Amino acid sequence: MNLKQFIDENLPKLDEVLYELVRTIKAPAQLKESMLYSLEAGGKRIRPLFVLAVCDLFHNKKNEAYVVGAAVEMIHTYSLIHDDLPSMDNDDMRRGKPTNHVIFGDALATLAGDALNTLSFGVLARMENVSSEKKIELINLLSVAAGAEGMVGGQVLDIDGENRSLSLPELENVHINKTGALLRFSIESGAILSDATTEERSALVEYAHHIGLAFQIQDDILDIVGTTEELGKTAGKDVESHKSTYPALLTLEGAKQKLEEHYDYAITALRKIDKNTAILEEFAQYIVKRHN
Amino acid sequence: MNLKQFIDENLPKLDEVLYELVRTIKAPAQLKESMLYSLEAGGKRIRPLFVLAVCDLFHNKKNEAYVVGAAVEMIHTYSLIHDDLPSMDNDDMRRGKPTNHVIFGDALATLAGDALNTLSFGVLARMENVSSEKKIELINLLSVAAGAEGMVGGQVLDIDGENRSLSLPELENVHINKTGALLRFSIESGAILSDATTEERSALVEYAHHIGLAFQIQDDILDIVGTTEELGKTAGKDVESHKSTYPALLTLEGAKQKLEEHYDYAITALRKIDKNTAILEEFAQYIVKRHN
């Protein structure tokens, strides 16, 4: 099976589980509508697909992987809703569609984000066929990855860095937190659900680290070489705002080389696992070659 | 021991645990500062004190009650930070001090709220001396109480009701969710930590229901009879904005009578518990008699 087949096979079920987890809560209609609007806005589902790909590697815990994947996608989606707010990045378009606050107003968008954040932890707590010990481990990891010590902290560092030039280690630190932490959780949660050995888990975390940085470098490169149409969001925004990016610090060529390095490290980490890692390898390739 | 002694005895330790849980995370300094600013802004700590008072009733699980109380206070505080944002209630003052976004800006205030929301679940997951099963039960209950099915949903109903007249059942529904759900969690979590019997727990939940409504009715009454100085926030705001409140629906006298009714129901619920419920009784009294 190749990555495309893997995605085609898993995406419909993943979306079904994700939407159902929101549709079935007892909450005001307009709040659910706002939450579902952003979930249904056509994300690539990279994070939940990583949870599933890792579980697939171990032939283990498939149904629960959809639920953990849905929880991560809720966190990712809430972070986008809040990032797009006028008081933050002030983005009107996301994935080629009007952003949440453009449709529902700033107040409801803020609350829809809050509700998705909170719901993700309930979803993990209510998961069936997983021991309470494992659920606590997952909830603890997600809280760290998504909160002040991870994603939210990275977002603060990112805003803080907008008005000055960051060094390469500072820039890496932003991204390790802002995008890397949640990607790492996606991959590590798959290892936890699948009872991976300590060695396998640590190889996967190493893979996740490099994939996370590669993902961000490609994002920075796409801002320069991509078009607004391809990206579904405004291209060239980083250059215009003099933001610290990999191409700005390393030149476009230097950034492409750095991207290749992280790709190579990610593949080397996978080699430590004595299983068929073809899907995860192709996933790494997709991350560095994607056009949006 | 009376309520004042109980509070004097518990509040310093509670604050210490709460601040320490934020101070010890590895996160950008300005984010922690913003989170701590609102936590330290002089809240009455009603929710954590309820957790403690219930555990005290059963002489059980004191240290863990501080941690659960801290988690609830984080949720309560994040909700205030987000409610005060210009895109929501646009309040510049809270508890007699400038609100979070006035000091730190809208972006950081939004993120500090997000981080507190996320941290609360991690705090429960990392709690010591509580079984994983109990922690999962607490996390599930908190997610429901704080999210779309509880507090956030109530906030949406509240905003939705601003531009029309609500019926009494509609108004009750707003408050059962907006403020009641988290108060109920505070009281129910104490019952869970203390291994209360099913009967004791259900009596406490009944008490919580009436306390929650009494709390809101007194809030509405104070908006009319209180001064801005006493309240630490602008008095008379509800009347000015023609908001649906208990006094608006029932007259001031009718609201006071409703308040007494809920107080009586709360006390009656406590009578079902064969323990010394003096502190919880006095707490109910405080809720209906408070001036801010």
Side-chain angles (χ1 to χ4, degrees):
Chain A
M1 183 153 43
N2 65 23
L3 181 62
K4 189 180 175 318
Q5 288 166 328
F6 179 79
I7 293 175
D8 288 346
E9 193 173 278
N10 284 289
L11 209 51
K13 170 91 186 271
L14 179 66
D15 283 347
E16 189 193 314
V17 170
L18 176 61
Y19 302 152
E20 202 59 16
L21 284 167
V22 176
R23 281 196 201 112
T24 49
I25 58 176
K26 289 190 197 72
Q30 65 269 49
L31 177 58
K32 284 165 72 165
E33 206 189 317
S34 169
M35 294 162 80
L36 282 166
Y37 174 80
S38 289
L39 290 174
E40 290 173 347
K44 296 185 285 294
R45 311 291 189 223
I46 287 177
R47 292 154 195 81
L49 285 168
F50 267 126
V51 183
L52 288 162
V54 172
C55 288
D56 186 73
L57 182 68
F58 297 99
H59 309 288
N60 214 339
K61 285 282 175 207
K62 204 50 154 301
N63 283 325
E64 292 67 35
Y66 292 108
V67 180
V68 175
V72 186
E73 193 68 11
M74 286 175 193
I75 294 279
H76 174 58
T77 303
Y78 114 71
S79 79
L80 298 182
I81 297 173
H82 282 189
D83 280 8
D84 288 338
L85 285 170
S87 59
M88 307 270 278
D89 286 354
N90 195 19
D91 273 316
D92 289 345
M93 295 289 281
R94 159 82 62 185
R95 297 165 180 165
K97 290 184 185 166
T99 45
N100 197 294
H101 65 271
V102 170
I103 304 285
F104 297 95
D106 297 358
L108 196 51
T110 305
L111 291 165
D114 291 343
L116 285 169
N117 188 2
T118 306
L119 181 59
S120 71
F121 293 98
V123 158
L124 292 182
R126 288 188 290 275
M127 201 164 30
E128 290 174 7
N129 301 315
V130 177
S131 71
S132 296
E133 284 69 27
K134 259 191 197 177
K135 290 200 269 190
I136 288 296
E137 188 177 3
L138 291 170
I139 289 165
N140 180 33
L141 276 182
L142 182 60
S143 169
V144 172
E149 297 176 271
M151 186 183 76
V152 172
Q155 176 70 4
V156 171
L157 293 174
D158 196 32
I159 293 172
D160 187 53
E162 272 168 14
N163 302 312
R164 58 190 187 89
S165 290
L166 300 180
S167 67
L168 189 60
E170 283 177 320
L171 184 65
E172 282 205 339
N173 192 35
V174 170
H175 297 307
I176 283 171
N177 289 293
K178 192 183 172 190
T179 49
L182 206 57
L183 276 171
R184 175 180 160 159
F185 171 81
S186 308
I187 289 166
E188 199 168 10
S189 66
I192 293 168
L193 282 176
S194 308
D195 296 311
T197 65
T198 312
E199 291 74 22
E200 288 163 340
R201 180 167 164 174
S202 105
L204 284 166
V205 166
E206 203 183 321
Y207 166 81
H209 173 78
H210 293 292
I211 286 294
L213 287 171
F215 185 87
Q216 189 57 47
I217 297 170
Q218 179 64 358
D219 232 40
D220 287 356
I221 291 173
L222 284 174
D223 184 73
I224 295 175
V225 304
T227 65
T228 298
E229 199 183 356
E230 274 176 337
L231 299 177
K233 62 179 179 184
T234 317
K237 237 188 140 176
D238 295 345
V239 176
E240 201 189 317
S241 62
H242 303 287
K243 197 172 174 181
S244 294
T245 62
Y246 287 90
L249 264 75
L250 303 172
T251 75
L252 185 57
E253 269 322 297
K256 284 180 178 173
Q257 195 186 320
K258 196 87 183 159
L259 178 67
E260 281 301 320
E261 277 174 34
H262 284 296
Y263 170 77
D264 289 343
Y265 281 127
I267 300 300
T268 306
L270 287 183
R271 298 267 183 273
K272 298 179 191 171
I273 301 169
D274 191 19
K275 307 257 179 207
N276 179 1
T277 58
I279 299 281
L280 288 174
E281 283 180 45
E282 217 188 316
F283 219 144
Q285 227 165 54
Y286 161 75
I287 295 285
V288 305
K289 298 227 168 108
R290 71 202 163 89
H291 296 295
N292 61 44
Chain B
M1 180 154 44
N2 64 23
L3 182 63
K4 191 182 173 315
Q5 289 166 327
F6 179 79
I7 293 175
D8 288 346
E9 194 173 278
N10 283 289
L11 210 51
K13 171 89 186 275
L14 180 65
D15 282 347
E16 189 194 313
V17 169
L18 177 61
Y19 302 151
E20 201 60 16
L21 284 167
V22 176
R23 279 197 202 111
T24 48
I25 59 175
K26 290 190 197 72
Q30 66 269 50
L31 176 59
K32 284 165 72 165
E33 206 188 315
S34 169
M35 293 163 80
L36 282 165
Y37 174 79
S38 289
L39 291 173
E40 290 172 349
K44 296 184 287 291
R45 311 287 189 225
I46 287 177
R47 292 155 196 79
L49 285 169
F50 267 126
V51 183
L52 288 162
V54 173
C55 288
D56 186 72
L57 181 67
F58 297 99
H59 308 289
N60 213 341
K61 286 281 174 207
K62 204 52 153 301
N63 282 325
E64 291 68 34
Y66 292 108
V67 180
V68 175
V72 186
E73 194 67 12
M74 287 176 193
I75 293 278
H76 174 59
T77 304
Y78 113 72
S79 80
L80 298 182
I81 297 174
H82 283 189
D83 281 8
D84 289 338
L85 285 170
S87 59
M88 308 269 277
D89 286 354
N90 196 19
D91 272 316
D92 288 347
M93 294 290 280
R94 159 82 64 184
R95 297 164 181 167
K97 289 184 185 166
T99 45
N100 196 293
H101 66 271
V102 170
I103 305 286
F104 297 94
D106 297 358
L108 195 52
T110 305
L111 291 165
D114 291 343
L116 285 169
N117 187 3
T118 306
L119 181 58
S120 70
F121 294 98
V123 158
L124 293 182
R126 288 188 288 276
M127 201 165 28
E128 289 174 9
N129 301 317
V130 178
S131 71
S132 296
E133 284 70 26
K134 259 190 197 178
K135 291 201 268 189
I136 288 296
E137 188 177 3
L138 292 169
I139 289 166
N140 180 33
L141 276 182
L142 182 60
S143 169
V144 172
E149 298 176 89
M151 185 184 76
V152 172
Q155 176 70 5
V156 170
L157 294 175
D158 196 32
I159 293 173
D160 187 51
E162 272 168 15
N163 300 310
R164 58 189 185 88
S165 290
L166 299 180
S167 67
L168 188 61
E170 283 178 320
L171 184 65
E172 282 205 338
N173 192 37
V174 170
H175 296 307
I176 284 172
N177 288 292
K178 192 183 170 187
T179 47
L182 206 58
L183 275 171
R184 175 180 160 157
F185 172 80
S186 309
I187 290 166
E188 199 169 8
S189 66
I192 293 169
L193 281 176
S194 307
D195 296 312
T197 64
T198 312
E199 292 73 23
E200 288 164 339
R201 180 167 163 176
S202 105
L204 285 165
V205 166
E206 204 182 320
Y207 166 82
H209 173 78
H210 294 291
I211 286 294
L213 287 171
F215 185 85
Q216 188 57 48
I217 297 170
Q218 180 64 359
D219 231 41
D220 287 356
I221 292 172
L222 285 173
D223 183 74
I224 295 174
V225 306
T227 65
T228 298
E229 199 183 357
E230 274 176 337
L231 300 178
K233 62 182 178 185
T234 318
K237 238 191 141 178
D238 295 344
V239 176
E240 200 188 317
S241 62
H242 304 287
K243 199 174 172 179
S244 295
T245 63
Y246 287 90
L249 262 74
L250 302 171
T251 74
L252 186 57
E253 268 321 298
K256 284 181 178 171
Q257 195 185 321
K258 196 86 187 157
L259 178 67
E260 280 301 321
E261 277 172 34
H262 284 297
Y263 171 76
D264 289 343
Y265 280 127
I267 300 301
T268 306
L270 287 183
R271 296 270 184 271
K272 298 178 190 172
I273 300 168
D274 191 20
K275 307 254 178 208
N276 179 0
T277 57
I279 299 281
L280 288 174
E281 283 180 45
E282 215 187 319
F283 219 143
Q285 226 163 56
Y286 161 75
I287 294 286
V288 305
K289 299 227 167 108
R290 72 204 164 87
H291 296 295
N292 62 43

